[in-house]
Amino acid sequence: MTVEKPWTGRFNAPTDAFVEAFTASVEFDQRLYHHDITGSIAHAKMLAKTKVLTATEAETIIAGLQRIEQKINRGEFVWSIALEDVHMNIEAALTADIGAVGKKLHTGRSRNDQVATDVRLYLRAEIIEIQQSLMCLMHTLLQVAEREYDSILPGFTHLQSAQPITFGHHLLAWFEMLQRDWQRLNDAQKRVNVLPLGAAALAGTSYPLDRHYTAELLGFAAVAENSLDAVSDRDFIIEFASAAALIMMHLSRFSEELILWSAAQFDFIDLGDAFCTGSSIMPQKKNPDVPELVRGKTGRVYGHLFALLTLMKAQPLAYNKDNQEDKEPLFDTVDTLKGALKVYADMLAAMTVKRDNMRNAARQGFTTATDLADYLVRKGVAFRDAHEVVGKAVRHCIAQPCALDALALTVLRQFSPLIDEDVYQVLSLEGSVAARNHFGGTAPVQVKAAIARAKTRLSAMKLK
Ligand code: ARG
C-alpha cells in the first residue's frame, strides 16, 4: 500500500527511501500515542467550542480517535515509516476511518506544538510514577532503619574506620538524599505542566483558539506565554534528565556500599539469592549484579543528560528537527530510572543484615579513640593535648596489638592520670553512639526520633 504523506503538495519527487527511514521517528515516538490522542481530543473539543468545527465534526473526530486508540491498544494498528511519526500515522488513520472530516483536526495546529504537548503529557505522568517509586523506596528504607535503629557498624571516612555509627542512622542518610531527589522532581513538574498547544508552527494561529480551555481539558496548570518558546525549548526535559542523573548518582553511591558490604572482606549484608547471580566458572560465587548494574546504568543516564544539553545548545529559534532526537534519551532515562528504583526497593526489603559482623568490624581500628579524647577534654585537658595523648595510646595498642579497651586501667593511666574506671563505658561502642545524642546525631534515641519525623515527612509529601 502506498501511503500519501500529508505534505506532498509542493513536492515533485518522492522522498529518497533511505531519507524516509532516516528522518522517521515513528519507531520510537509511537510510544506517545495515548498522549497524542488525548491532546488531539482536547484540541477538537476546543475547536468545537470556538466554532471552528461544528459539534458534529468534533464528535466524529473524537469517536474516530478513540477507535484508533483501542486499535493500537489491541496491537492491531499498522505503523508506517512513510508517515514519519506518531502524529501523521494517527491523523492518516483517522481520515481513512472517518473520511474528509478527519482532515480538519489539524486546523490551528502544527506538529511542532503537538509534539511539545505530547512530550509534556508523557513526562508529567512519568514524573508522578517515578515519584511514587521513590516514595516506595523511602518507605522501605524507613522499615529497615526501624529494625536496625541501634545496630552498630563502623562509620567510614576515606573508607577507613572512623567512628561507630548506628545502621538506622546510616540508612536515614539515604532517606534524606532521596527526599531531596523527590522534591527536585516536584519542582521540575511545575515547569513541565505548561501547555504549548496553540503556538502552532511557531507564530501562533489565525483561528480564534481558546488555549486556556485546552489547558483546562488537559489539566495543564498554565498556558505557555510565548509561541516561539513553546515549540522550541526542551529545557523541561533537560531539567528532568538532570534530576534523574542525581537520583542515579545517589543510587550508584548506595550500590557501591552494598557491593562492598556483600564482599567477604566486609560481610555486613546478604542481598538474597533472588537479587544475585552466580559465576559460570567459580562455583562459590554469588555476585551483587543488581547494585553493579544500577551503578553501571548511571553512566547511560548521565550520557542522556549530556546528549540533551548538546542537542539544544546550538538551535536558533524556533522549532528544529533536531528536537526529534530528544525522545530516545528521554524514554531511556525514564525506563532506566524506573527499573532501578523498583529493583532497589525490592532488594532492600529482602536484604539480611549481619549485625554481629558489623559490630565486630566496628571494634577494629580504634573507632572510639575520639571518645577517649573527648573524655579527657571533659576532665579539663585542651582538645589538642588530649588528641596527642590518645594518639600515643593508639600507637602503644598497635604495637601490642590490642584494642584500647583491652588496656588495663594502670596502663591507660600511664598516658594520662586523669583516666578513671568510667573510661571503659566511654570506650565501648554503645557508649560512643549513645554519646552523640543531639538532633541529627547517631544515638539510637535520636535515630528513633528521626525515623518518626521522616515518617511524618513522607506522609506529608504531596505530588505536584
Ligand atoms: N517527529 C517530530 C518531532 O519529534 C514532530 C514534529 C515535526 N515537525 C516538523 N515540522 N517536521 O519533533
PDB file of all heavy atoms in Angstrom, residues 224-241:
ATOM      1  N   ALA A 224       1.566  28.241  27.880  1.00  0.00           N
ATOM      2  CA  ALA A 224       2.853  28.850  27.506  1.00  0.00           C
ATOM      3  C   ALA A 224       2.623  30.268  27.012  1.00  0.00           C
ATOM      4  O   ALA A 224       1.765  30.515  26.173  1.00  0.00           O
ATOM      5  CB  ALA A 224       3.540  28.008  26.436  1.00  0.00           C
ATOM      6  N   GLU A 225       3.401  31.195  27.517  1.00  0.00           N
ATOM      7  CA  GLU A 225       3.223  32.623  27.238  1.00  0.00           C
ATOM      8  C   GLU A 225       3.651  33.003  25.830  1.00  0.00           C
ATOM      9  O   GLU A 225       3.115  33.935  25.242  1.00  0.00           O
ATOM     10  CB  GLU A 225       4.070  33.447  28.217  1.00  0.00           C
ATOM     11  CG  GLU A 225       3.561  33.438  29.649  1.00  0.00           C
ATOM     12  CD  GLU A 225       2.507  34.498  29.912  1.00  0.00           C
ATOM     13  OE1 GLU A 225       2.332  35.392  29.056  1.00  0.00           O
ATOM     14  OE2 GLU A 225       1.839  34.417  30.958  1.00  0.00           O
ATOM     15  N   ASN A 226       4.671  32.305  25.326  1.00  0.00           N
ATOM     16  CA  ASN A 226       5.285  32.734  24.068  1.00  0.00           C
ATOM     17  C   ASN A 226       5.330  31.573  23.091  1.00  0.00           C
ATOM     18  O   ASN A 226       5.866  30.510  23.398  1.00  0.00           O
ATOM     19  CB  ASN A 226       6.696  33.264  24.367  1.00  0.00           C
ATOM     20  CG  ASN A 226       7.385  33.771  23.129  1.00  0.00           C
ATOM     21  OD1 ASN A 226       7.808  32.979  22.276  1.00  0.00           O
ATOM     22  ND2 ASN A 226       7.505  35.074  22.999  1.00  0.00           N
ATOM     23  N   SER A 227       4.773  31.796  21.897  1.00  0.00           N
ATOM     24  CA  SER A 227       4.641  30.691  20.940  1.00  0.00           C
ATOM     25  C   SER A 227       5.990  30.163  20.465  1.00  0.00           C
ATOM     26  O   SER A 227       6.163  28.965  20.251  1.00  0.00           O
ATOM     27  CB  SER A 227       3.783  31.134  19.752  1.00  0.00           C
ATOM     28  OG  SER A 227       4.425  32.190  19.063  1.00  0.00           O
ATOM     29  N   LEU A 228       6.979  31.048  20.302  1.00  0.00           N
ATOM     30  CA  LEU A 228       8.298  30.603  19.835  1.00  0.00           C
ATOM     31  C   LEU A 228       8.950  29.707  20.883  1.00  0.00           C
ATOM     32  O   LEU A 228       9.484  28.636  20.584  1.00  0.00           O
ATOM     33  CB  LEU A 228       9.215  31.805  19.576  1.00  0.00           C
ATOM     34  CG  LEU A 228       8.773  32.826  18.529  1.00  0.00           C
ATOM     35  CD1 LEU A 228       9.726  34.019  18.528  1.00  0.00           C
ATOM     36  CD2 LEU A 228       8.741  32.191  17.147  1.00  0.00           C
ATOM     37  N   ASP A 229       8.891  30.163  22.110  1.00  0.00           N
ATOM     38  CA  ASP A 229       9.464  29.398  23.218  1.00  0.00           C
ATOM     39  C   ASP A 229       8.739  28.052  23.356  1.00  0.00           C
ATOM     40  O   ASP A 229       9.372  27.011  23.559  1.00  0.00           O
ATOM     41  CB  ASP A 229       9.329  30.224  24.509  1.00  0.00           C
ATOM     42  CG  ASP A 229       9.781  29.467  25.737  1.00  0.00           C
ATOM     43  OD1 ASP A 229      10.850  28.837  25.687  1.00  0.00           O
ATOM     44  OD2 ASP A 229       9.051  29.503  26.752  1.00  0.00           O
ATOM     45  N   ALA A 230       7.415  28.089  23.212  1.00  0.00           N
ATOM     46  CA  ALA A 230       6.602  26.889  23.454  1.00  0.00           C
ATOM     47  C   ALA A 230       6.981  25.731  22.533  1.00  0.00           C
ATOM     48  O   ALA A 230       6.977  24.577  22.948  1.00  0.00           O
ATOM     49  CB  ALA A 230       5.121  27.222  23.287  1.00  0.00           C
ATOM     50  N   VAL A 231       7.287  26.027  21.268  1.00  0.00           N
ATOM     51  CA  VAL A 231       7.585  24.936  20.331  1.00  0.00           C
ATOM     52  C   VAL A 231       9.060  24.547  20.311  1.00  0.00           C
ATOM     53  O   VAL A 231       9.419  23.508  19.763  1.00  0.00           O
ATOM     54  CB  VAL A 231       7.165  25.271  18.877  1.00  0.00           C
ATOM     55  CG1 VAL A 231       5.657  25.334  18.760  1.00  0.00           C
ATOM     56  CG2 VAL A 231       7.815  26.561  18.396  1.00  0.00           C
ATOM     57  N   SER A 232       9.917  25.417  20.868  1.00  0.00           N
ATOM     58  CA  SER A 232      11.330  25.150  20.639  1.00  0.00           C
ATOM     59  C   SER A 232      12.096  24.623  21.832  1.00  0.00           C
ATOM     60  O   SER A 232      12.923  23.735  21.681  1.00  0.00           O
ATOM     61  CB  SER A 232      12.024  26.399  20.102  1.00  0.00           C
ATOM     62  OG  SER A 232      12.139  27.366  21.122  1.00  0.00           O
ATOM     63  N   ASP A 233      11.867  25.137  23.014  1.00  0.00           N
ATOM     64  CA  ASP A 233      12.769  24.744  24.107  1.00  0.00           C
ATOM     65  C   ASP A 233      12.394  23.381  24.667  1.00  0.00           C
ATOM     66  O   ASP A 233      11.224  23.023  24.760  1.00  0.00           O
ATOM     67  CB  ASP A 233      12.795  25.788  25.223  1.00  0.00           C
ATOM     68  CG  ASP A 233      14.119  25.754  25.983  1.00  0.00           C
ATOM     69  OD1 ASP A 233      14.901  24.798  25.779  1.00  0.00           O
ATOM     70  OD2 ASP A 233      14.382  26.682  26.773  1.00  0.00           O
ATOM     71  N   ARG A 234      13.442  22.643  25.011  1.00  0.00           N
ATOM     72  CA  ARG A 234      13.258  21.349  25.679  1.00  0.00           C
ATOM     73  C   ARG A 234      13.933  21.389  27.050  1.00  0.00           C
ATOM     74  O   ARG A 234      14.352  20.379  27.578  1.00  0.00           O
ATOM     75  CB  ARG A 234      13.861  20.218  24.838  1.00  0.00           C
ATOM     76  CG  ARG A 234      13.170  20.028  23.471  1.00  0.00           C
ATOM     77  CD  ARG A 234      11.742  19.514  23.636  1.00  0.00           C
ATOM     78  NE  ARG A 234      11.088  19.266  22.346  1.00  0.00           N
ATOM     79  CZ  ARG A 234      10.293  20.143  21.731  1.00  0.00           C
ATOM     80  NH1 ARG A 234      10.054  21.328  22.273  1.00  0.00           N
ATOM     81  NH2 ARG A 234       9.733  19.842  20.570  1.00  0.00           N
ATOM     82  N   ASP A 235      14.021  22.594  27.623  1.00  0.00           N
ATOM     83  CA  ASP A 235      14.681  22.713  28.931  1.00  0.00           C
ATOM     84  C   ASP A 235      13.979  21.882  29.997  1.00  0.00           C
ATOM     85  O   ASP A 235      14.613  21.383  30.926  1.00  0.00           O
ATOM     86  CB  ASP A 235      14.833  24.184  29.354  1.00  0.00           C
ATOM     87  CG  ASP A 235      13.509  24.938  29.455  1.00  0.00           C
ATOM     88  OD1 ASP A 235      12.459  24.383  29.047  1.00  0.00           O
ATOM     89  OD2 ASP A 235      13.525  26.087  29.935  1.00  0.00           O
ATOM     90  N   PHE A 236      12.670  21.705  29.852  1.00  0.00           N
ATOM     91  CA  PHE A 236      11.944  20.913  30.872  1.00  0.00           C
ATOM     92  C   PHE A 236      12.387  19.447  30.850  1.00  0.00           C
ATOM     93  O   PHE A 236      12.397  18.790  31.887  1.00  0.00           O
ATOM     94  CB  PHE A 236      10.424  21.045  30.682  1.00  0.00           C
ATOM     95  CG  PHE A 236       9.907  20.477  29.384  1.00  0.00           C
ATOM     96  CD1 PHE A 236       9.342  19.208  29.342  1.00  0.00           C
ATOM     97  CD2 PHE A 236       9.983  21.202  28.200  1.00  0.00           C
ATOM     98  CE1 PHE A 236       8.861  18.670  28.151  1.00  0.00           C
ATOM     99  CE2 PHE A 236       9.510  20.668  27.006  1.00  0.00           C
ATOM    100  CZ  PHE A 236       8.955  19.413  26.973  1.00  0.00           C
ATOM    101  N   ILE A 237      12.792  18.973  29.661  1.00  0.00           N
ATOM    102  CA  ILE A 237      13.293  17.592  29.583  1.00  0.00           C
ATOM    103  C   ILE A 237      14.693  17.525  30.191  1.00  0.00           C
ATOM    104  O   ILE A 237      15.031  16.602  30.932  1.00  0.00           O
ATOM    105  CB  ILE A 237      13.326  17.102  28.115  1.00  0.00           C
ATOM    106  CG1 ILE A 237      11.923  17.133  27.515  1.00  0.00           C
ATOM    107  CG2 ILE A 237      13.914  15.693  28.039  1.00  0.00           C
ATOM    108  CD1 ILE A 237      11.858  16.625  26.076  1.00  0.00           C
ATOM    109  N   ILE A 238      15.487  18.537  29.889  1.00  0.00           N
ATOM    110  CA  ILE A 238      16.860  18.574  30.424  1.00  0.00           C
ATOM    111  C   ILE A 238      16.823  18.665  31.948  1.00  0.00           C
ATOM    112  O   ILE A 238      17.597  18.013  32.645  1.00  0.00           O
ATOM    113  CB  ILE A 238      17.643  19.753  29.811  1.00  0.00           C
ATOM    114  CG1 ILE A 238      17.757  19.567  28.284  1.00  0.00           C
ATOM    115  CG2 ILE A 238      19.018  19.873  30.450  1.00  0.00           C
ATOM    116  CD1 ILE A 238      18.378  20.732  27.544  1.00  0.00           C
ATOM    117  N   GLU A 239      15.886  19.445  32.442  1.00  0.00           N
ATOM    118  CA  GLU A 239      15.755  19.591  33.893  1.00  0.00           C
ATOM    119  C   GLU A 239      15.388  18.242  34.522  1.00  0.00           C
ATOM    120  O   GLU A 239      15.953  17.841  35.543  1.00  0.00           O
ATOM    121  CB  GLU A 239      14.672  20.626  34.184  1.00  0.00           C
ATOM    122  CG  GLU A 239      14.712  21.154  35.592  1.00  0.00           C
ATOM    123  CD  GLU A 239      13.697  22.276  35.808  1.00  0.00           C
ATOM    124  OE1 GLU A 239      13.206  22.869  34.829  1.00  0.00           O
ATOM    125  OE2 GLU A 239      13.402  22.529  36.980  1.00  0.00           O
ATOM    126  N   PHE A 240      14.456  17.548  33.886  1.00  0.00           N
ATOM    127  CA  PHE A 240      14.108  16.211  34.377  1.00  0.00           C
ATOM    128  C   PHE A 240      15.317  15.287  34.301  1.00  0.00           C
ATOM    129  O   PHE A 240      15.609  14.538  35.243  1.00  0.00           O
ATOM    130  CB  PHE A 240      12.939  15.630  33.564  1.00  0.00           C
ATOM    131  CG  PHE A 240      12.776  14.154  33.780  1.00  0.00           C
ATOM    132  CD1 PHE A 240      12.238  13.663  34.961  1.00  0.00           C
ATOM    133  CD2 PHE A 240      13.221  13.248  32.817  1.00  0.00           C
ATOM    134  CE1 PHE A 240      12.134  12.296  35.190  1.00  0.00           C
ATOM    135  CE2 PHE A 240      13.119  11.879  33.032  1.00  0.00           C
ATOM    136  CZ  PHE A 240      12.567  11.410  34.215  1.00  0.00           C
ATOM    137  N   ALA A 241      16.039  15.345  33.161  1.00  0.00           N
ATOM    138  CA  ALA A 241      17.194  14.452  32.986  1.00  0.00           C
ATOM    139  C   ALA A 241      18.264  14.737  34.038  1.00  0.00           C
ATOM    140  O   ALA A 241      18.957  13.819  34.485  1.00  0.00           O
ATOM    141  CB  ALA A 241      17.771  14.608  31.579  1.00  0.00           C
TER     142      ALA A 241
END
